[in-house]
Every structure is written in structure tokens, then in C-alpha cells.
Amino acid sequence: MRIEYLEKEGLFRLIAGETEYVIGIADEKYVGHVYFGKQIEDNRCGCLMRTEEAPFVPSKNLREKCSFADTFPAEYSTWGMGDYRDSCLNVRSAAGFRGCELHYQGYRILAGKPELPGLPATFCQDKEGKDGRTLELECRDEVLGLKVILRYSVFADSEAVIRSAELVNEGEEPLYLERVLTACMDMDMEEGDMLTLAGSWARERHMVRRPLAFGKQMVSSFRGESGHQDHPFLAVMGRDAGQDRGEVYAMHFVYSGNFMAEAEMSQFGSVRLLMGIHPEGFEWVLEPGKTFITPEVVCVYSHEGLGKMTHIFHDLYRNHLIRSPYLHAKRPILINNWEATYFDFNTEKLLEIAREAKKRGVEMLVMDDGWFGDRNVDEGHLGDWEVNEKKLPGGLPHLVEQVRALGMEFGIWFEPEMVSPKSKLYQAHPEWAIRIPEREPVQSRAQYVLDLSRPEVVEYVYESVARILRSAPISYVKWDMNRQMTDVGSVWLGQKHQGELFHRYVLGLYELQERLIKEFPKLLLENCASGGARFDPGMLYYSPQIWCSDDTDAIERLEIQEGTSLLYPLSTMGAHVSACPNHIVGRVTPFKTRGYVAMAGTFGYELDITKLLEEEKHLIEEQVKMYHRFQPLVREGDYYRVASWRENHRYDCWQVVAKDKSEALITYVQVLAEPNWHSRKIRLKGLDPEAEYRLEEIEMEANHQTKVGKTTADQIYKGAFLMYGGLLLPRLTGDFMSKMIYLSDVRICR
Ligand code: DGJ
């Protein structure tokens, strides 16, 4: 890791592992993007900005300033002064004029990485910041009196480059920020593909790859959350790039609200990537002396395909974003009552579930929606966070005490950001809901969103949650959010600041979760939003795990978890075994397969265990043992995608390999049975070619112990054999069948 300034050449060079990022200061102090890719370390690389080609820089050819601006590879593009590609920044002056042009003023290279006040951000592990460096480039628009600091950080153990921007109004009049994205990146790519994650409720983060074409291609959200539909991620890649080969340039946004991510191919075949807060509905009034900081963007380059990109994101998030004490700790195996009972439960029913679950080795009971106010359907009482004593006589302390007496921990569900029209809270404070005065507010799931830009609302919400957590020993909170924003208005913000509401809401949310984890440092927090509508790096800063999707069907989950694990470590993906027929798709899959798929995440149950067959309860005991055995590997290891059911329409296979390559776990799901085929050859990845691995087939059978295949000399293979020759897996009979195989280096006794 290194950041250096080459004064003679006017270049800044950032080295992160094998990756190099170069920024150039062109004549007239335009800040240009020179290079992002595999390390080249050539001081002549400034020529890649092409300022010597026509139409030159304005100092040499003023009559073509516009052509210059429209082709120059900008580090932070601005609107209205000749660059017609999409820009990062658009500012309106107090007099009402739009236009902005930035010129370089100076730089600082700092040890460590500054925090972004109020925002989630990657951080150094070392308290003195010895494992990080930050470059700050100071730029200015003299006419507006606007200072912009462009920040770039790198870490000693990562190849990612982290970007953000800070804007300071140094003038005497307010400035109106109509658009403030975090970053753009210009590159040459006349042919390539764009990769995004897309979906809907119950089918989040499916990978979508499409050819890049002339013009703008964008994914975005202005729903007030990152959303089910699009994800704040974008990559462009060579046509030939795949899991293990080819170039990939990726950007991921550390933010949980509105976003846009765009790839724009220009008239000259160059591509500009842009990422930041969505400008739709956004306007920030920057008063004199005030500062606005953008959320950060993680930029990743890989010359070894998506696999390497995935490893860079996983390690960055595990080492520099997730703060929870649970990051490297075993998470309790939980059972959640949502799919078991929905709203129809009471203390006795919950205890019945807890007793049976405890017998089988489950460690925590989570009480989901419906425990407060008079909430027996989803129409009521969000906002009235008082225990419903009709359902839970003796209140929460009594229930928690009984659950803990069984030797289990207790967790609880909240949806703190919402209010139901029927609640006492809404009757008392209709002005606390986000709405446009004079308009009937739009309901969604019969609820409104609270105005978190308002400090008294943040205070009320915080105290509602904290009061409950102080009342009993509660180990876990599922923080849910079940609607998107509409009629975005705040009577509190007044006429001038309405454009700030979306972003101020997200800042309010971050403040709430920050306070929560500070007051309850041992709390295991799991974020959730109608399943996975706010599964983003921003939320990971507060909670080490996020509920992936309301779709718990093992086969649907293959694609959801494939897309999610493209960027997120397996330890962050909330995944549970649920009952069949599955409540969302009605599919029936083997209990064993449901267990294997959920084991690629945080693992738990989402069913009424008291209604299961004895055989299934035995399988739970087996799964619990497997979880204890394998979860450190799943949590800490390197994830490899071996085969994708999305691509081959037949089977799915992934692998987790220990960092020291001493062990590996392979999960194989044969989605549809195929007649008359020979065995399937699976080439493994990431092993030590020289090591000898003992192969164990994990056989999980009801009424039996988990069987480990007999180890004979035939079951010991060299890593090279397994990676280049392959492992022969017999065809399985029946749809949705699966297998798990464990490899351990014979030199190491486990
Ligand atoms: C949506 C979540 O994703 C579900 O798991 C459940 O908690 C419901 N909300 C409860 O309303």
C-alpha cells in the first residue's frame, strides 16, 4: 500500500496490492483519471489522459474548450461547462445560475482514513491508522466559492480504492447542490458487458449481465431505500471475462437510500461509470461555511474475473467495514416464529416452539412481528411499542425469563421507522409521518414512514426500542422496514429544505442504529427490509448480518444467495430452513437440501418445529451438529463459485476454502434430476495443489448419526488432482437433491 506524488509528472499514484490507480493534474489544473488496473508503475502514464491529442487543453486551444471538456477523462465531472456526459456535481448559485468547474489547488497524503461523520465508512484496523493511507485532493470553483475535497483511501491488505467527496461553501451566499454523486471513473472500453443485481420482493439480487451499448445504462432507486429492485452496485467487464478470467471494474455504494449507478458509453467509445445519491428529488442547501460529505464508493479492479472481485469485496467488508463483536464469533442458531405462526401466537405457543427447538440444539428464540399494541394483522399499531399483554401475559420480562430458563437466548422484532394510521402515535402526531400537507398520504402495507429528519422523532423511536431492550435480557434484534417512500414531504424541514429529506432520513436511521449498538454493545443486530430491500454495505456497518430475502425456498435461494455472495461474505447473509410446501413458491424440497443451502448463510429455522415429523426433528439435530462443525470455515473462509444453476439450468455448486487452504467445504445441489447420464466432473478451486486432501462425504440421515464416508487411500487426493482433474460426483436420483463434501489436508489433524 502506497500513495505517492510525482511532482514533475503531475501524477498521484495509489498502489493497493497488485492494483494501481493514477490521477493526473492536466494543464490548467483539471483533475484527470489516468489509470486503474494492474500495476504498471510507469511515470509516463499521464499521456493516457490524451491531453496532447486534439483538441488539447484550453490553454493551447481555447476555441475548442468544449470539445476538451467533453472528452477529458475527469476524476469528478461537473455539469454545465462543456462535459455533456453525465456529471457528479451540479450546483445552482444563489442568483439561480447553474454550472461548475473545478481546478486543482493542492493535496495531502494522510496516514489512516478519516471517518465520515454520520455516515457508514470503511476504517483502518490499526488505531493509529498504520494500515491505511488517504489522498486528499483539494479543488475549487472560484466563481461559486466552492471547495471540493476528493478523497481516495487504500488499505495494506486490500486492492480496493475507496472514494468520497467533501464540499465546503467558502462563499458568502448559500449554494444549492442539485446533484452530488460520489465518484465517476472514465475508461476505454469499446466493447464490454455491464453486470448489475436486480430483482423484486422475494427474488432479490439476481445477477444480470448485458452488453454495454452507446448511451446511458443505469440502475437506481428513489424509493428511499436501496431496494429490492436494483442494487447499488455496477461492474463493467470484458466480453471474455468470467468467474476466473478477464477484467472487471466494479463500484459498490456504502449507502442505504436513493442511489444511481450508471455506465455511459460516449461518442468515442469511452465508458464513464458514475455512482452516488440519486439526484431525483434531491437538493441540498449548503449555507456559507457548511460542509456536505458524500457516502463512499468502493472501487475494485480485478484481472482475474468475478472470483477475484468477490474476494476483494468479502475481505474488505470483513476487515474494514463490519464492526460488530459477532463478526468473528459464532452466531446463535435461532428459530424465528414468523412463518410458524405469523401474528397468531401467545406466550404458550412461543414456549412450545422454544422447548422443542431447545431439545434439538437450537440456541435462540426470536419473536417476530405482532407482540405489541393490538397488532393481529398488518394494519395496526406500528409506533405503539408496548407489549400486548393479552398475548404475552406477564409481559416481556416473564416470557424472556422462561425462554432463558430453558437455556436459550431471546431475540425480538421491531419495525421502528414506521407508524400505522391506527396507532396512538399517529393520532397524537400525524405531523411525524412523511407526507405532503393537503394530500391524503399514500399507504403501503397499511403504514406510513416516520420523518427521521426530525430530531424529536429520532428520539421517540430510539427510546421506544431502547426501553424494551432495557426491560429484559434480549440478545438479538431484527430491525425491519416494510415500505418504500412516497409523498416525500416534511412539515419540519420547511419550504427551502424539502430536497434534503431523503438523505436526512438515512442520516437519522444511521444515527439510530449507531446509538443502539453503542448502548447495547453485545446486541446481535440483524437488519431486514421486507426481506432484502436494504441489504447494502451501509447497513453492514451497523449489523453483521442482514435478512437476505423473504423467500426461504432452497431453490429460489440458490440464485438470491449467488447474487448476494458476489459482494457480501457468507457470514452476512441471513438464511433459514423453512417448512414445505414453501410459503412463497409452494415447492417441496428435501429437508437436507434446505439445511445445506441455509448453511451458506447465518443459519437458523423459520418454521413451527412442533409440527414437524420426528424424522425431520432428527435432521435438525444433525444440521445443528454440522453447523457447529463447519460455521467457522463458512464465516472466515474464501468463497468460490464453482457452478451456477442460473447459467447451466441443471446444478449449482459453491465452495468455501480456509485461508490457509487446510480445509474446504463443497456444496452441490442438483436442481433437476436428469435421466441416463454419467457422473459429473466438478473442478474445485482455491486448494493447495501440493496438499493431500482427505475427502469426506457428509451423509445426513434421519435417525442416524451424521455419517462420514469411510476414509480409504482412494479418498485422499492431491489438490492439483481435484482442481485440474476434478472430482467425480455421481448423479443423484430425484429433483433438488444435494451433497456436501468436506476436504481436509491430511497433514493437519482435526
Ligand atoms: C418482513 C420480514 O422480511 C419478515 O421476515 C417478517 O419479519 C415480516 N416483515 C413481519 O412483518
Side-chain angles (χ1 to χ4, degrees):
M1 160 202 68
R2 204 155 30 102
I3 298 181
E4 56 198 22
Y5 176 45
L6 308 174
E7 196 173 351
K8 193 160 118 269
E9 292 81 4
L11 296 176
F12 292 93
R13 176 187 287 148
L14 292 85
I15 302 286
E18 294 187 324
T19 299
E20 179 172 342
Y21 191 108
V22 186
I23 302 156
I25 308 301
D27 285 2
E28 294 190 38
K29 302 200 178 304
Y30 293 104
V31 183
H33 180 71
V34 176
Y35 178 74
F36 186 31
K38 211 170 168 181
Q39 216 164 299
I40 48 173
E41 295 223 40
D42 188 321
N43 295 1
R44 296 163 306 174
C45 67
C47 63
L48 296 173
M49 284 189 293
R50 297 197 176 93
T51 49
E52 290 312 313
E53 291 175 27
F56 305 106
V57 281
S59 58
K60 294 187 188 150
N61 184 6
L62 187 57
R63 69 179 292 276
E64 291 306 340
K65 177 166 175 177
C66 183
S67 323
F68 165 78
D70 205 21
T71 53
F72 183 66
E75 267 299 308
Y76 196 69
S77 54
T78 55
W79 191 89
M81 304 303 288
D83 183 350
Y84 292 102
R85 295 160 294 173
D86 260 358
S87 65
C88 291
L89 185 62
N90 186 2
V91 182
R92 194 175 77 245
S93 68
F97 298 108
R98 292 184 178 83
C100 180
E101 193 178 62
L102 296 175
H103 296 277
Y104 170 75
Q105 302 285 302
Y107 77 97
R108 270 181 303 273
I109 296 175
L110 315 172
K113 178 173 186 288
E115 285 182 7
L116 304 187
L119 286 168
T122 51
F123 52 82
C124 289
Q125 285 194 345
D126 180 73
K127 292 258 171 329
E128 285 154 32
K130 288 194 191 114
D131 59 335
R133 292 276 179 288
T134 298
L135 169 67
E136 292 191 344
L137 297 179
E138 200 174 299
C139 309
R140 232 182 114 77
D141 182 311
E142 293 297 344
V143 176
L144 293 170
L146 177 68
K147 178 165 89 181
V148 177
I149 301 168
L150 304 179
R151 285 212 178 90
Y152 303 80
S153 300
V154 288
F155 297 109
D157 59 356
S158 176
E159 297 199 8
V161 176
I162 322 291
R163 295 187 54 178
S164 67
E166 179 173 327
L167 288 83
V168 186
N169 183 352
E170 295 186 328
E172 271 157 25
E173 296 197 273
L175 294 173
Y176 300 86
L177 310 179
E178 296 187 340
R179 177 185 183 101
V180 197
L181 305 192
T182 297
C184 75
M185 198 154 59
D186 285 342
M187 65 187 74
D188 277 21
M189 189 176 270
E190 286 174 46
E191 257 202 357
D193 288 342
M194 165 164 153
L195 180 71
T196 55
L197 298 173
S200 179
W201 171 74
R203 55 180 161 82
E204 297 88 341
R205 291 174 299 285
H206 286 201
M207 285 164 68
V208 178
R209 186 171 175 166
R210 65 191 117 160
L212 272 173
F214 177 77
K216 296 167 192 170
Q217 28 254 290
M218 185 212 259
V219 290
S220 67
S221 161
F222 39 88
R223 297 165 184 270
E225 58 181 13
S226 41
H228 295 105
Q229 290 74 10
D230 280 336
H231 190 75
F233 161 79
L234 172 83
V236 294
M237 53 207 284
R239 283 271 152 83
D240 62 337
Q243 261 317 308
D244 305 305
R245 59 164 211 283
E247 287 199 301
V248 184
Y249 297 85
M251 280 179 156
H252 203 194
F253 199 25
V254 187
Y255 190 61
S256 311
N258 292 355
F259 74 88
M260 63 168 273
E262 184 180 278
E264 178 177 4
M265 187 179 277
S266 79
Q267 55 188 323
F268 300 112
S270 68
V271 171
R272 168 171 288 176
L273 303 189
L274 280 156
M275 186 169 273
I277 294 177
H278 202 304
E280 187 82 50
F282 175 89
E283 181 176 272
W284 195 271
V285 185
L286 195 64
E287 298 290 351
K290 294 286 181 205
T291 295
F292 181 88
I293 299 180
T294 70
E296 64 188 29
V297 163
V298 177
C299 306
V300 169
Y301 166 78
S302 161
H303 59 277
E304 286 166 28
L306 294 172
K308 176 165 177 180
M309 177 201 79
T310 293
H311 290 166
I312 297 173
F313 278 117
H314 284 199
D315 287 341
L316 180 80
Y317 293 159
R318 282 187 290 204
N319 297 333
H320 299 283
L321 181 67
I322 303 171
R323 299 175 294 171
S324 166
Y326 283 92
L327 172 62
H328 297 298
K330 191 182 93 51
R331 322 276 162 89
I333 302 175
L334 64 83
I335 186 156
N336 176 305
N337 75 306
W338 178 242
E339 288 195 22
T341 64
Y342 295 101
F343 294 103
D344 185 15
F345 64 86
N346 55 26
T347 297
E348 202 28 58
K349 179 68 208 169
L350 292 176
L351 288 175
E352 217 180 278
I353 293 176
R355 274 185 224 112
E356 189 57 46
K358 171 66 189 171
K359 260 206 268 174
R360 309 297 168 174
V362 175
E363 298 160 310
M364 180 159 74
L365 174 78
V366 175
M367 176 172 68
D368 211 281
D369 194 355
W371 55 266
F372 53 92
D374 194 16
R375 188 162 165 93
N376 294 309
V377 286
D378 61 11
E379 294 203 343
H381 296 273
L382 292 169
D384 300 341
W385 298 104
E386 281 147 25
V387 176
N388 178 347
E389 296 233 9
K390 278 191 231 138
K391 283 184 183 176
L392 310 178
L396 209 52
H398 176 67
L399 171 63
V400 179
E401 197 183 294
Q402 298 204 55
V403 172
R404 289 179 68 87
L406 293 172
M408 291 178 92
E409 292 182 71
F410 183 83
I412 194 168
W413 176 98
F414 284 98
E415 194 178 358
E417 300 158 65
M418 298 293 150
V419 62
S420 309
K422 286 186 182 158
S423 64
K424 286 191 265 173
L425 177 65
Y426 187 71
Q427 300 313 316
H429 288 293
E431 77 287 4
W432 282 13
I434 287 181
R435 56 180 295 184
I436 298 171
E438 314 297 326
R439 280 188 192 277
E440 176 66 25
V442 174
Q443 292 189 26
S444 177
R445 208 194 188 204
Q447 63 199 53
Y448 305 138
V449 186
L450 285 169
D451 179 357
L452 298 186
S453 74
R454 230 178 146 116
E456 61 196 319
V457 175
V458 170
E459 196 52 40
Y460 174 86
V461 169
Y462 184 73
E463 274 309 312
S464 308
V465 177
R467 192 172 27 84
I468 297 284
L469 296 188
R470 288 181 207 125
S471 75
I474 295 172
S475 311
Y476 160 106
V477 163
K478 176 175 173 187
W479 180 302
D480 202 353
M481 194 273 200
N482 285 306
R483 69 155 286 184
Q484 304 159 344
M485 284 188 203
T486 53
D487 36 356
V488 180
S490 163
V491 280
W492 162 258
L493 285 176
Q495 179 264 334
K496 197 173 166 191
H497 297 278
Q498 288 304 312
E500 298 173 13
L501 179 53
F502 274 121
H503 184 53
R504 286 195 184 276
Y505 178 88
V506 179
L507 295 178
L509 166 69
Y510 290 153
E511 183 188 328
L512 280 168
Q513 296 212 346
E514 185 68 32
R515 281 176 70 179
L516 197 70
I517 58 174
K518 287 265 149 61
E519 183 177 342
F520 304 97
K522 292 197 190 130
L523 185 74
L524 172 56
L525 181 61
E526 174 155 357
N527 270 293
C528 168
S530 295
R534 213 164 49 187
F535 201 124
D536 57 59
M539 299 317 289
L540 273 192
Y541 188 63
Y542 305 94
S543 66
Q545 58 194 60
I546 304 176
W547 184 230
C548 220
S549 176
D550 277 346
D551 195 335
T552 48
D553 171 70
I555 302 308
E556 291 298 310
R557 276 288 181 129
L558 295 178
E559 203 166 338
I560 296 170
Q561 294 183 188
E562 179 189 11
T564 308
S565 60
L566 182 73
L567 306 169
Y568 299 94
L570 303 189
S571 62
T572 65
M573 302 195 306
H576 298 166
V577 174
S578 61
C580 276
N582 179 268
H583 292 198
I584 304 278
V585 287
R587 186 179 284 128
V588 176
T589 52
F591 204 85
K592 176 170 118 172
T593 300
R594 283 177 261 159
Y596 288 172
V597 173
M599 234 166 269
T602 55
F603 197 68
Y605 294 88
E606 186 95 11
L607 41 71
D608 187 346
I609 192 169
T610 65
K611 295 194 179 137
L612 294 186
L613 302 171
E614 197 51 33
E615 190 181 309
E616 292 172 319
K617 291 181 190 168
H618 277 299
L619 285 173
I620 292 187
E621 291 171 14
E622 298 304 301
Q623 290 172 345
V624 164
K625 278 189 223 146
M626 285 177 65
Y627 172 77
H628 288 303
R629 182 172 178 209
F630 296 128
Q631 58 83 28
L633 172 59
V634 172
R635 194 182 63 224
E636 311 288 344
D638 286 332
Y639 164 87
Y640 290 87
R641 170 58 50 184
V642 180
S644 164
W645 135 254
R646 175 183 52 84
E647 284 170 356
N648 64 35
H649 308 297
R650 292 167 172 177
Y651 64 100
D652 208 74
C653 184
W654 65 93
Q655 204 189 325
V656 185
V657 182
K659 289 266 177 209
D660 65 2
K661 302 193 182 294
S662 62
E663 53 175 346
L665 188 66
I666 297 128
T667 312
Y668 171 83
V669 181
Q670 178 183 282
V671 179
L672 293 179
E674 298 158 90
N676 193 21
W677 274 92
H678 51 56
S679 61
R680 177 161 279 136
K681 191 195 290 171
I682 300 283
R683 286 186 178 173
L684 302 183
K685 298 185 183 180
L687 303 175
D688 173 355
E690 292 307 318
E692 305 255 12
Y693 290 96
R694 175 184 296 119
L695 188 150
E696 294 176 20
E697 275 191 40
I698 307 298
E699 260 319 316
M700 205 177 43
E701 282 170 28
N703 302 321
H704 297 279
Q705 289 297 302
T706 303
K707 279 197 311 206
V708 162
K710 269 189 259 122
T711 306
T712 62
D714 292 352
Q715 284 171 292
I716 294 182
Y717 297 93
K718 266 184 88 168
F721 177 87
L722 296 169
M723 290 195 292
Y724 316 134
L727 178 67
L728 293 179
L729 288 182
R731 294 292 160 144
L732 306 171
T733 311
D735 292 343
F736 319 129
M737 301 307 273
S738 54
K739 237 182 200 327
M740 222 179 214
I741 291 164
Y742 175 66
L743 302 180
S744 54
D745 186 333
V746 290
R747 291 167 303 188
I748 299 167
C749 282
R750 283 184 197 279

